[in-house]
Amino acid sequence: MSESVHTQDLPMDPESEGFTRRGFVKYAIGGVGLAYACAIGYPIYRYLNSPVEESMAMAAVKEVTLPDADKLPKGSALVFKFGVKPALLIHHPDDSWTALTAVCTHMGCTVAYDPGKTKIVCHCHGGTYDPKTGENLSGPPPRPLKKFDVVMAAGSVTVKRI
Amino acid sequence: MAKRSDYWIDRFGIGDAIAYAKKKSVPLHKHSFWYYWGGISLFCFLVQVVTGILLMVYYRPGPEAFESVRQITYSIHFGWLIRSVHNWSANLFLLSVFVHMFSVFFMKAYRGPREFGWLSGILLLMVGLIFGFSGYLLPMDDLAFFATKVGLEIPSAVPIIGPPIANLMRGGLEVSEFTVQRFFALHAVILPLLFLPILGLHLWLVQKHGNASPPSEEAKPEAERKSIPFFPNFLAKDLAMWLITLNVIALFAAVFPWQLGEAADPLRPAPLGIHPEWYFMSQFQTLKFMGKMFPGYAGEAIGMTLFTLGMVLWILIPFYDTRDKTALRAKRTTYFGLLVVGILLLTTIWGYLGVR
Ligand code: FES
């Protein structure tokens, strides 16, 4: 008697649920439905994602050349777009140059160069950075601003990703 | 597993819906095929809603209309496909609505108690045609521009109130960016707001009164009439039809992608062989013909009057050919229907021959 109980428990029993005709039809319909869902979903995803792909391609730029930026007066800064995000080119009062991303590492506000106090400030939550190194000095920002290489030329400044 | 599905069935009262659907039945006879066309129309409408919303993600009405459609067609991934599906499905929608309407007509399904199913259906067709007309302008290419220009001449032919109405629709004396902007509001906001409640009423009436049997079936004794349960039998067939429709739309959209012409330019002459979409071809040809027969405004006026008269008769048919009236009226109505189909087909074919 105990043997017959055993056979009933065997998972490969052809009478068990997974092998019925009904079960097969269910899976077949499910499979076809899934195939249709993918065939419809994939183009829609790519369609909606198109500008994301475009902006990723734009974000991948290696360098940006800024015509006439060499004429930037000492103690001032220029905001420009590096790929898709804002960046700062600073001409320091001691005639040195720095380029940094202008996106605050705290929550993404665009930072500003404050020539009077020679600091970079973020107006959103009062974070400050060192304008020469990009180091976070005070306030909530957790990380320094990323630096770029600056290459001077006659009539232009080229900013490169490091 | 079974336990879990029971939970949802109970909580959402799905059981009640299924019990209700099981009680309903659909007549089975040699004309049953025509019962699917309302469902096909509904499916096309749903496709229009989905693809329309997707197109709205990139479409910009107003001065940038053409440029945005150019982007959708040529630079956004699968944009050409979404646009093409929207166009093909629009055409299939109107085609299936026409088939649905004529099958209802010849099966005399408009007779009481279904008069309001007929009337709401006609309203849906009219809104559908305005959907088609307004949507046609949105890409703002040269065909769209001239089609709208010509189309708006029809309301302006109506004496006194015509021209101000046409000007309001155009947003000026000439089709321009203002026209596209307001046609977009019409196409994507006002018409859906009109369409949905009428559609709701139409579907409710179908639920309420069920499918009509053609008179040939009604003449048979009760015992000889066959029917199948709505759930699951008819619903399964209906869904199969939807699947076929989906495949047909996808096939046409992919194999014959909808084209985009050159940007509209009011200073360029109209392109050669310009003609309206097939669903306006009959009116177009009739007006053209009347214009030749009776020169000047008279032709247009006579053509429009005839059309309006025909429409009114068509709309009022349920009140003429009722169940309790004589067989003569029933017969006359059928002849009237055949005449209408004949005229529509002939003028449409004639119109296309004239275009060649
Ligand atoms: S985002 Fe700059 S300090 Fe918070």
Side-chain angles (χ1 to χ4, degrees):
Chain A
M1 201 176 98
S2 70
E3 278 224 2
S4 72
V5 172
H6 260 259
T7 31
Q8 265 184 9
D9 280 353
L10 271 181
M12 291 307 285
D13 186 342
E15 294 286 290
S16 76
E17 241 189 70
F19 288 89
T20 57
R21 213 182 136 113
R22 229 189 140 84
F24 173 75
V25 169
K26 237 186 203 172
Y27 280 113
I29 290 178
V32 171
L34 194 69
Y36 267 95
C38 292
I40 294 169
Y42 177 71
I44 293 182
Y45 167 71
R46 290 293 304 275
Y47 175 80
L48 293 174
N49 200 47
S50 265
V52 179
E53 283 173 34
E54 203 171 301
S55 101
M56 276 178 164
M58 270 165 71
V61 289
K62 294 266 161 23
E63 57 174 62
V64 173
T65 299
L66 306 163
D68 287 337
D70 56 332
K71 295 178 189 74
L72 192 67
K74 281 182 201 169
S76 66
L78 172 82
V79 187
F80 63 97
K81 243 187 182 179
F82 192 92
V84 289
K85 302 228 162 121
L88 271 177
L89 176 68
I90 306 168
H91 192 181
H92 298 288
D94 64 0
D95 207 15
S96 62
W97 293 75
T98 310
L100 299 158
T101 125
V103 183
C104 181
T105 55
H106 178 223
M107 292 185 84
C109 287
T110 301
V111 296
Y113 176 61
D114 182 350
K117 296 194 186 108
T118 56
K119 258 196 303 191
I120 291 176
V121 292
C122 177
H123 297 147
C124 286
H125 313 95
T128 63
Y129 300 88
D130 183 305
K132 285 204 169 174
T133 63
E135 204 187 324
N136 41 329
L137 298 176
S138 70
R143 280 183 311 277
L145 294 172
K146 243 201 223 105
K147 268 187 85 169
F148 295 117
D149 266 344
V150 179
V151 180
M152 302 298 297
S156 74
V157 175
T158 299
V159 177
K160 290 183 181 175
R161 202 186 284 275
I162 299 176
Chain B
M1 185 75 186
K3 279 274 153 53
R4 219 188 309 157
S5 61
D6 281 350
Y7 175 83
W8 297 109
I9 286 174
D10 175 69
R11 292 304 190 270
F12 284 93
I14 296 168
D16 296 344
I18 292 180
Y20 174 71
K22 272 185 174 158
K23 254 192 281 168
K24 278 166 47 92
S25 66
V26 177
L28 187 69
H29 48 77
K30 63 172 190 278
H31 304 298
S32 286
F33 171 69
W34 304 106
Y35 288 145
Y36 295 111
W37 288 88
I40 295 175
S41 314
L42 176 63
F43 179 71
C44 290
F45 175 72
L46 295 178
V47 172
Q48 290 310 86
V49 173
V50 173
T51 50
I53 291 173
L54 285 171
L55 288 172
M56 237 188 277
V57 173
Y58 296 112
Y59 179 68
R60 301 189 294 278
E64 281 186 88
F66 177 80
E67 174 56 20
S68 69
V69 177
R70 203 195 54 72
Q71 278 174 10
I72 291 172
T73 314
Y74 298 113
S75 63
I76 306 285
H77 294 304
F78 292 106
W80 65 272
L81 182 64
I82 309 259
R83 178 170 169 246
S84 192
V85 167
H86 196 70
N87 277 292
W88 278 109
S89 172
N91 280 281
L92 193 59
F93 169 77
L94 284 170
L95 182 74
S96 53
V97 168
F98 275 117
V99 172
H100 178 48
M101 180 178 74
F102 284 114
S103 64
V104 162
F105 188 92
F106 290 114
M107 285 205 250
K108 301 202 178 292
Y110 48 75
R111 285 176 169 179
R114 299 187 181 80
E115 306 93 324
F116 293 95
W118 173 256
L119 292 180
S120 55
I122 300 256
L123 275 180
L124 289 175
L125 169 63
M126 286 176 175
V127 179
L129 287 172
I130 306 175
F131 260 121
F133 181 68
S134 54
Y136 202 76
L137 175 68
L138 300 184
M140 209 45 177
D141 59 1
D142 47 4
L143 271 179
F145 176 80
F146 283 107
T148 308
K149 208 170 146 66
V150 174
L152 286 180
E153 287 304 312
I154 295 173
S156 20
V158 177
I160 307 166
I161 53 162
I165 290 179
N167 286 343
L168 270 181
M169 287 170 76
R170 262 191 301 259
L173 297 173
E174 185 61 272
V175 173
S176 68
E177 65 218 50
F178 290 108
T179 326
V180 197
Q181 185 84 38
R182 56 187 63 194
F183 270 41
F184 178 69
L186 185 70
H187 188 81
V189 182
I190 298 167
L191 293 180
L193 282 178
L194 277 175
F195 194 88
L196 286 170
I198 309 174
L199 177 63
L201 173 72
H202 193 72
L203 293 177
W204 158 245
L205 290 177
V206 175
Q207 295 307 306
K208 174 85 183 92
H209 299 301
N211 291 56
S213 292
S216 60
E217 279 294 305
E218 278 183 351
K220 286 185 192 168
E222 191 74 46
E224 275 177 41
R225 290 201 233 161
K226 284 192 222 116
S227 70
I228 56 171
F230 175 77
F231 184 88
N233 307 44
F234 187 77
L235 187 67
K237 289 186 179 184
D238 227 3
L239 290 180
M241 273 297 182
W242 285 26
L243 201 60
I244 293 172
T245 310
L246 175 67
N247 289 334
V248 168
I249 295 174
L251 190 76
F252 273 90
V255 178
F256 307 106
W258 211 263
Q259 299 298 311
L260 180 66
E262 279 177 56
D265 180 355
L267 300 182
R268 248 208 320 262
L272 214 63
I274 185 167
H275 64 87
E277 289 289 87
W278 60 269
Y279 43 86
F280 288 128
M281 190 49 127
S282 173
Q283 289 95 313
F284 177 75
Q285 184 57 32
T286 311
L287 286 184
K288 210 162 129 185
F289 172 68
M290 290 294 169
K292 268 187 200 146
M293 296 271 292
F294 313 94
Y297 271 122
E300 220 166 289
I302 294 172
M304 285 313 293
T305 312
L306 277 182
F307 241 99
T308 316
L309 216 69
M311 278 290 276
V312 171
L313 286 182
W314 190 251
I315 292 168
L316 293 179
I317 225 57
F319 305 102
Y320 174 76
D321 176 22
T322 52
R323 227 174 270 282
D324 42 16
K325 286 281 162 32
T326 57
L328 184 66
R329 282 196 174 194
K331 210 181 251 171
R332 272 193 199 144
T333 306
T334 305
Y335 289 146
F336 175 57
L338 290 173
L339 183 74
V340 168
V341 175
I343 291 178
L344 285 181
L345 283 179
L346 269 177
T347 45
T348 303
I349 294 169
W350 189 15
Y352 275 102
L353 290 179
V355 165
R356 285 279 155 83

